[in-house]
């Protein structure tokens, strides 16, 4: 029997999962079925993982009753409103890349999800994104809204590795800013560009994180000045 996949029906769920009882379904893959309406998905009250990517879904309200859902992939759909997703309190991983989310205000509801660890709004490999990703302050704004995230768009945003990643980006920005503001400034060889004891390991180790980071910034900036001067 050929099933109509435009709407998620009980029969479709049973056929794809192999389960007779919808409450027994823990995982189901609905990807690439041209689904327009999530229909009876709300009856799968014990569902933990759902892949509904690459469809034409626009209404996510039926997902609100899936209280045990921890993984949700809605990439490549037609979603412009994600109201009701904040009711999925157990959600840890959410993929919304390739949809129609156009404002940071539309994400506000998701900030209520205390368990949320991984969030994706764009996927460069698949060439998926949302309109908000074109904002110059996209990443900064999202991280400010979701300070407890461990991963954003597939990149680690917490832990030691992420701190190095963040610092390098900030240093790159500072170097570029310094280059622009000092195009007409020449460095003289008589100027000392390190403070006394700067290379003393004991001194660096005893400093606070902010002060050590400041020294590293100064070093990068001064190296940039020397490079500009040498180029002339």
């Amino acid at each position: 029997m050929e099933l109509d996949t435009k709407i998620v029906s009980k029969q479709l769920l049973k056929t794809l999962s192999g389960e007779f009882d919808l409450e027994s379904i823990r995982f189901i893959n609905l990807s690439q079925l041209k689904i327009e309406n999530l229909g009876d998905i709300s009856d799968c009250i014990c569902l933990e993982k759902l892949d509904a990517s690459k469809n034409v879904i626009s209404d996510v309200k039926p997902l609100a009753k899936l209280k045990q859902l921890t993984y949700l992939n809605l990439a490549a759909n037609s979603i412009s409103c994600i109201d009701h997703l904040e009711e999925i309190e157990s959600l840890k991983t959410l993929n919304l890349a390739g949809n129609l989310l156009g404002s940071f205000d539309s994400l506000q509801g998701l900030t209520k999800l205390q368990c949320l660890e991984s969030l994706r709004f764009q996927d460069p490999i698949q060439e998926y994104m949302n309109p908000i990703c074109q904002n110059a302050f996209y990443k900064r704004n999202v991280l400010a809204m979701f300070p407890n995230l461990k991963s954003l768009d597939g990149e680690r945003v917490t832990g030691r590795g992420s701190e190095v990643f963040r610092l390098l980006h900030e240093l790159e920005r500072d170097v570029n800013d310094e280059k622009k503001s000092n195009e007409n400034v020449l460095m003289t060889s008589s100027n000392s560009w390190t403070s006394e004891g700067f290379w003393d390991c004991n001194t660096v180790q005893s400093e606070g994180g902010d002060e050590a980071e400041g020294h590293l910034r100064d070093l990068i900036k001064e190296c940039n000045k020397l490079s500009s001067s040498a180029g002339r």
Side-chain angles (χ1 to χ4, degrees):
M1 180 179 64
E2 185 176 351
L3 295 173
D4 179 9
T5 60
K6 289 186 177 181
I7 183 170
V8 177
S9 63
K10 290 182 174 63
Q11 185 59 49
L12 177 64
L13 292 167
K14 292 178 181 179
T15 300
L16 294 178
S17 67
E19 298 284 352
F20 179 77
D21 185 356
L22 296 184
E23 294 185 7
S24 298
I25 302 176
R26 297 291 187 274
F27 167 77
I28 195 164
N29 187 348
L30 302 177
S31 181
Q32 302 185 71
L33 295 178
K34 300 181 180 179
I35 293 171
E36 298 178 1
N37 191 319
L38 287 167
D40 294 324
I41 192 69
S42 57
D43 290 338
C44 302
I45 58 175
C46 294
L47 195 64
E48 297 175 4
K49 295 184 178 181
L50 170 63
D51 186 346
S53 60
K54 301 179 182 179
N55 287 297
V56 284
I57 298 167
S58 59
D59 182 12
V60 299
K61 186 176 180 179
L63 300 173
K65 294 183 179 180
L66 305 182
K67 303 301 183 181
Q68 296 187 38
L69 200 65
T70 61
Y71 173 93
L72 176 59
N73 187 351
L74 292 171
N77 275 285
S78 303
I79 301 168
S80 59
C81 177
I82 52 177
D83 291 350
H84 304 292
L85 289 188
E86 68 269 17
E87 298 178 42
I88 312 175
E89 299 176 354
S90 58
L91 200 59
K92 293 182 178 181
T93 300
L94 176 60
N95 188 344
L96 289 165
N99 279 285
L100 305 174
L101 300 174
S103 71
F104 293 106
D105 287 341
S106 67
L107 312 181
Q108 197 61 46
L110 297 181
T111 61
K112 300 177 183 179
L113 298 175
Q114 299 300 312
C115 296
L116 193 62
E117 298 178 346
S118 177
L119 188 56
R120 186 185 283 274
F121 294 114
Q122 62 181 350
D123 186 337
I125 296 178
Q126 299 290 335
E127 297 185 348
Y128 296 155
M129 66 184 306
N130 282 272
I132 56 170
C133 301
Q134 297 178 348
N135 187 290
F137 304 104
Y138 157 70
K139 187 172 182 179
R140 186 192 70 180
N141 290 348
V142 173
L143 291 180
M145 293 178 68
F146 302 93
N148 296 323
L149 279 185
K150 293 182 178 180
S151 174
L152 174 62
D153 298 335
E155 294 181 352
R156 185 179 178 184
V157 294
T158 59
R160 295 180 62 186
S162 67
E163 287 302 306
V164 173
F165 180 80
R166 176 189 63 78
L167 180 57
L168 288 176
H169 273 279
E170 291 183 357
L171 289 174
E172 181 181 6
R173 180 196 61 198
D174 288 344
V175 168
N176 291 334
D177 290 345
E178 193 72 27
K179 186 181 296 184
K180 292 178 181 178
S181 62
N182 292 283
E183 288 180 348
N184 298 319
V185 177
L186 295 177
M187 290 292 295
T188 62
S189 60
S190 61
N191 289 335
S192 173
W193 51 281
T194 60
S195 59
E196 183 178 357
F198 179 80
W199 297 108
D200 187 336
C201 293
N202 293 329
T203 301
V204 174
Q205 290 175 359
S206 64
E207 291 172 337
D210 292 340
E211 188 173 353
E213 182 177 315
H215 277 311
L216 186 55
R217 290 178 186 276
D218 291 340
L219 177 60
I220 295 297
K221 293 177 183 179
E222 295 297 343
C223 286
N224 180 68
K225 290 180 181 179
L226 288 174
S227 178
S228 298
S229 178
R232 293 184 177 87

